[in-house]
Amino acid sequence: MADLDIAEVAHRAGVPASTLRFYEEKGLISSTGRRGLRRQYDPGVLERLALIALGRRAGFSLDEIAQMFAPDGQPHIDRGMLSAKADELDRTIRELGVLRDSLRHAAACPAPSHLECSTFRRLIDAAASGGVAAPGRRPPERRR
């Protein structure tokens, strides 16, 4: 199969060409050369981009994703790293579930004011103590 033009790769992978150039700078992908001023890529880059997208969606950093490829460019994924990320996602899912349930309760709570609702007050107290983190951020670890 013939090499793909950067525009074709961008279109098929669903990312802007600037992302492809950035990934190339980071060493995550490499072009096979140029046709005129346009970079060319081996068709296998699409699978690699799919793996990068999957890793990003799972919350891995680009540096972590770079470690998932052997020097020959083939995937070499550390299973322990995957397991640790799955555990982190489980914690996030639990935290988000509690937050969702608290918000649903607050939305339907019959208390005259949210500040009079004990469930909502617990949510506020948790947020004040760092127990509720913004999406993508971990709350500070509590000392026991």
Side-chain angles (χ1 to χ4, degrees):
M1 185 178 232
D3 284 348
L4 302 172
D5 179 88
I6 190 169
E8 177 68 15
V9 173
H11 175 73
R12 289 168 90 180
V15 297
S18 60
T19 297
L20 298 176
R21 290 188 292 271
F22 179 71
Y23 286 174
E24 196 167 343
E25 286 175 25
K26 296 283 284 178
L28 292 167
I29 62 172
S30 60
S31 62
T32 57
R34 293 181 182 266
R35 183 171 300 140
L37 296 176
R38 299 174 73 96
R39 296 172 198 220
Q40 301 292 300
Y41 295 92
D42 179 272
V45 77
L46 295 172
E47 183 175 81
R48 190 174 180 113
L49 289 167
L51 287 169
I52 293 168
L54 181 61
R56 295 293 291 160
R57 187 76 178 130
F60 288 104
S61 70
L62 289 179
D63 290 334
E64 290 170 323
I65 292 168
Q67 295 173 16
M68 295 181 187
F69 292 100
D72 66 0
Q74 294 301 309
H76 182 71
I77 303 169
D78 180 317
R79 293 173 192 268
M81 200 164 130
L82 295 179
S83 182
K85 183 56 75 174
D87 291 344
E88 183 181 322
L89 289 172
D90 281 340
R91 284 189 299 277
T92 300
I93 289 167
R94 280 192 303 276
E95 291 168 2
L96 289 173
V98 168
L99 183 58
R100 178 206 55 221
D101 294 346
S102 297
L103 292 173
R104 290 205 189 284
H105 173 81
C109 183
S113 160
H114 287 105
L115 296 179
E116 295 176 50
C117 171
S118 61
T119 300
F120 192 74
R121 294 295 307 182
R122 281 193 302 275
L123 182 62
I124 291 172
D125 291 344
S129 67
V132 177
R137 304 186 106 196
R138 300 282 312 139
E141 294 295 321
R142 294 198 173 159
R143 294 182 186 243
R144 293 177 187 205

